[in-house]
Amino acid sequence: AWDTDRSVRFQNPNGAPEVSPEDLVDTTMPPNWPYDLSEIPGGLENESFIVWFRVSAFPKFRKLYGRLQVDGSADINLPAGNYSIFLTYNYPVREYKGTKTLFLAEIS
């Protein structure tokens, strides 16, 4: 997430580390939003939440969901094996001919 998003746009009410249901009484959640914001670790300051809400300037875009890290280091290799990824379709994209794609990439 951008520094300005973290320091200006996305801050928890009253500077709290989490968001409580009482903080959201007059809040309208986006359509198809499956969670109560108080269930998201860090609330409005959760980096994945901030990245998801940032509007793209272009019709085709990618949003980073996460990174694999072990002991705080991103310099790792995944052990050989079978992995499973479970995705859900919470936000509809078909109405504007959008698609969702999962990319796994290696930083070089």
Side-chain angles (χ1 to χ4, degrees):
W2 296 4
D3 288 337
T4 53
D5 285 343
R6 284 193 294 265
S7 64
V8 178
R9 294 184 62 205
F10 294 90
Q11 294 183 346
N12 291 333
N14 304 317
E18 302 289 332
V19 174
S20 70
E22 295 80 30
D23 294 327
L24 304 171
V25 170
D26 295 321
T27 302
T28 301
M29 298 306 290
N32 305 305
W33 185 255
Y35 307 105
D36 183 318
L37 193 53
S38 64
E39 297 173 12
I40 299 174
L44 293 172
E45 297 175 9
N46 179 291
E47 189 163 14
S48 294
F49 176 82
I50 294 171
V51 170
W52 186 81
F53 260 92
R54 172 151 280 291
V55 177
S56 174
F58 303 103
K60 292 186 177 185
F61 58 90
R62 294 180 185 171
K63 294 189 177 196
L64 175 66
Y65 178 78
R67 296 182 191 104
L68 297 175
Q69 292 185 322
V70 175
D71 298 328
S73 172
D75 186 24
I76 63 166
N77 291 316
L78 286 175
N82 295 320
Y83 295 88
S84 297
I85 298 174
F86 299 95
L87 303 174
T88 57
Y89 186 73
N90 293 323
Y91 191 81
V93 296
R94 291 185 187 117
E95 63 191 56
Y96 56 90
K97 299 181 181 166
T99 61
K100 293 183 181 187
T101 307
L102 173 68
F103 289 96
L104 298 177
E106 183 175 358
I107 298 174
S108 58

